[in-house]
């Protein structure tokens, strides 16, 4: 299990050549709450963003992500998927339970690397609450309902 914050900034390497393909900058998340792929920033001066489907990742290491070769990099199509920090941003969005309880603001997601399944959410109640009490993690098996104003989850 991994969080987005642990992946952000990790280099992506090609297994065939050992060359660095770029750095992880975001996650692509479907409307059903599944991690579809990793967004990768590539280039020195004029950085371009690409997507790697989660199935095309050879392995997730603590110091880097491995792919077979750069042929798995795809230009980002115009789509309605969500991301953690860029297009259709999920971080900072209100998380509500199905029972109508305000749980907090989304800070990070926990997901299974092999499947892309999101299994938990790290929530914040604000800076002072985070300092005094720490951030909360809620776990869920069911896909969330992602809306414009809130994310609805079924809490375990």
């Amino acid at each position: 299990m991994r969080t987005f914050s642990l992946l952000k900034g990790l280099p992506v390497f090609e297994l065939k050549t050992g060359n660095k393909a770029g750095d992880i900058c975001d996650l692509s998340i479907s409307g059903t709450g599944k991690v579809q792929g990793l967004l990768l920033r590539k280039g020195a001066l004029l950085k371009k963003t690409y997507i790697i489907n989660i199935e095309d990742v050879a392995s997730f290491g603590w110091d880097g992500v491995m792919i077979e070769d750069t042929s798995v990099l795809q230009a980002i199509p115009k789509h309605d998927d969500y991301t953690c920090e860029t297009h259709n941003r999920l971080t900072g969005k209100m998380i509500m339970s199905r029972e109508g309880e305000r749980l907090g603001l989304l800070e990070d997601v926990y997901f299974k690397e092999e499947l892309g399944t999101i299994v938990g959410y790290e929530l914040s109640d604000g800076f002072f609450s985070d300092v005094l009490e720490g951030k909360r993690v809620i776990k869920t098996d069911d896909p969330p309902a992602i809306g414009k104003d809130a994310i609805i989850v079924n809490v375990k």
Side-chain angles (χ1 to χ4, degrees):
M1 187 167 46
R2 188 76 59 113
T3 63
F4 166 64
S5 60
L6 290 176
L7 276 180
K8 186 176 179 185
L10 280 183
V12 176
F13 293 99
E14 289 182 88
L15 286 173
K16 289 183 178 177
T17 64
N19 292 336
K20 181 178 170 182
D23 297 308
I24 304 289
C25 64
D26 213 336
L27 294 178
S28 174
I29 300 172
S30 72
T32 60
K34 185 170 193 239
V35 176
Q36 299 287 91
L38 306 174
L39 272 62
L40 171 107
R41 214 163 257 138
K42 179 180 179 178
L45 190 56
L46 299 172
K47 295 191 183 275
K48 290 186 85 176
T49 305
Y50 296 90
I51 189 167
I52 305 167
N53 288 330
I54 201 83
E55 300 87 25
D56 293 328
V57 175
S59 64
F60 288 88
W62 291 108
D63 299 315
V65 175
M66 309 306 273
I67 58 173
E68 288 297 327
D69 58 48
T70 55
S71 66
V72 299
L73 299 180
Q74 302 171 18
I76 297 181
K78 295 286 183 199
H79 54 71
D80 294 329
D81 286 348
Y82 297 91
T83 62
C84 284
E85 295 186 340
T86 52
H87 176 73
N88 286 341
R89 180 186 181 136
L90 291 180
T91 33
K93 212 172 249 221
M94 175 66 61
I95 302 272
M96 300 283 294
S97 73
R98 289 183 183 247
E99 292 75 31
E101 179 186 354
R102 179 187 183 276
L103 301 173
L105 302 176
L106 180 65
E107 285 285 320
D108 208 348
V109 293
Y110 289 79
F111 69 100
K112 294 182 181 178
E113 300 100 325
E114 309 83 30
L115 304 172
T117 308
I118 295 177
V119 294
Y121 303 91
E122 186 173 273
L123 306 178
S124 170
D125 285 325
F127 176 76
F128 293 111
S129 179
D130 290 349
V131 170
L132 295 173
E133 301 167 17
K135 294 181 182 179
R136 294 188 313 157
V137 175
I138 58 167
K139 297 183 181 190
T140 181
D141 287 332
D142 300 332
I146 302 173
K148 184 179 80 166
D149 301 313
I151 301 169
I152 312 297
V153 296
N154 189 13
V155 182
K156 285 185 177 179

